[in-house]
Amino acid sequence: MTAPGSELWRLDAARTRSISAENPTGAPGAGARAVEGTGAAAARLLGPGWKISPSIELAMDETATLAEVSGPGVFRHLWLTTARTVLRQLILRIYWDNAPEPAIELPLGDFFCNGWDELALVSSEMVVVAPAGGLNSFWPMPFRESARITLHNGSDRSVPLYYQATYSEEDVPDSAGYLNAQWRHSNPLGDPAVHPILDTVPGPGRYVGTYLAIQPGAPGWWGEGELKFYLDGDTTHPTLCGTGTEDYFGGAWNFDLDGGYRTYSTPYLGLHQVLPPNEIYQPDQQFGMYRWHVRDPICFHRDLRVTLQALGWRDDKTYLPLTNARIASTALWYQSPRTTRASKQ
């Protein structure tokens, strides 16, 4: 994966295509041709070509195919918006090259750093969540033979869905990996207080991102635990080991400034959600944070496994395993097409 913006100077044979409810196939000249759709009543005085099909209605327990295209190509931007209260009940799946199992399978909200019931805005390089629920992904997603993106509605009601998936038709180099995502959920975490962010996956690959949603389940400071990256044959001890949860996400000293948490959202890391925002060190508070390893990818050749210790802090200045914590994590990595396998939940 190249750094954001590094390809903008290229004037080659790539062609831009975009799939939406107004152009379901993305074919040249096929946009705005609908004669019926969710906007038909509003456009009845204007005629053809005037926003007749801007969205779809996704029924309860229905799976919609948002995009199905032939390769080679690279998805450059994925934008969606829907009912903000059901982001955890909508399941996003992405398949590469006719694979029977998805390389990406997780709740829609978690893919966009929104694992809690209240919308959190994000201003980062790879994911942007804008008012009032615009979900944007700029992760480049190459494919060779084909790509398919689906969304399943696991909620108890029908929801509106607006979407646009933009990709370029272009050659994909042999060295390009496929984007994968693994979502893991611990509720409660239990003993030992170690949350698996990424089960062992084969290389070669590059680990590029972590989203973490945590509810500590105990009062006091909750982020003493280290993130550990076991790569290329590591077993008991990791090659890469951080110094604490807040440190990994770019913060320091308990995220505590003047007796309160301070949220931040930067291009590559952030603590973008604290619920409720005016409390501190409460057991039922909910936190969301992300780190994108775009400028500092974690490269592995043989295999990779990632874990998070969930540790709080006792008054006697000893660590407290957070066995009652609720934790959900999303791991993002690029993997060789020769070894890509389905992600687990």
Side-chain angles (χ1 to χ4, degrees), residues 92-250:
L92 176 69
R93 296 183 175 95
I94 304 180
Y95 304 77
W96 306 128
D97 293 356
N98 301 308
E101 300 294 333
I104 295 172
E105 181 177 16
L106 75 170
L108 182 68
D110 291 74
F111 188 70
F112 293 98
C113 302
N114 268 262
W116 301 112
D117 292 336
E118 185 173 321
L119 185 74
L121 303 187
V122 180
S123 298
S124 79
E125 189 79 52
M126 313 313 293
V127 171
V128 175
V129 178
L135 309 175
N136 298 268
S137 167
F138 290 95
W139 289 107
M141 297 187 286
F143 56 96
R144 290 174 174 83
E145 297 175 16
S146 66
R148 181 161 59 100
I149 302 174
T150 70
L151 191 68
H152 176 76
N153 181 5
S155 75
D156 60 0
R157 61 189 177 93
S158 177
V159 297
L161 179 65
Y162 297 76
Y163 65 95
Q164 191 152 16
T166 301
Y167 69 100
S168 54
E169 294 178 333
E170 61 178 286
D171 291 335
V172 174
D174 292 341
S175 60
Y178 292 154
L179 185 66
N180 284 249
Q182 185 175 105
W183 183 75
R184 297 301 305 268
H185 187 211
S186 300
N187 182 25
L189 180 57
D191 185 18
V194 177
H195 174 77
I197 290 178
L198 179 63
D199 297 323
T200 301
V201 296
R206 291 191 173 194
Y207 187 90
V208 294
T210 308
Y211 165 64
L212 180 69
I214 182 170
Q215 181 175 302
W221 170 233
W222 47 268
E224 287 296 325
E226 298 170 338
L227 273 89
K228 293 179 167 64
F229 292 81
Y230 299 81
L231 52 91
D232 297 339
D234 289 342
T235 54
T236 304
H237 302 290
T239 294
L240 304 180
C241 185
T243 60
T245 305
E246 83 274 44
D247 306 332
Y248 172 77
F249 292 100

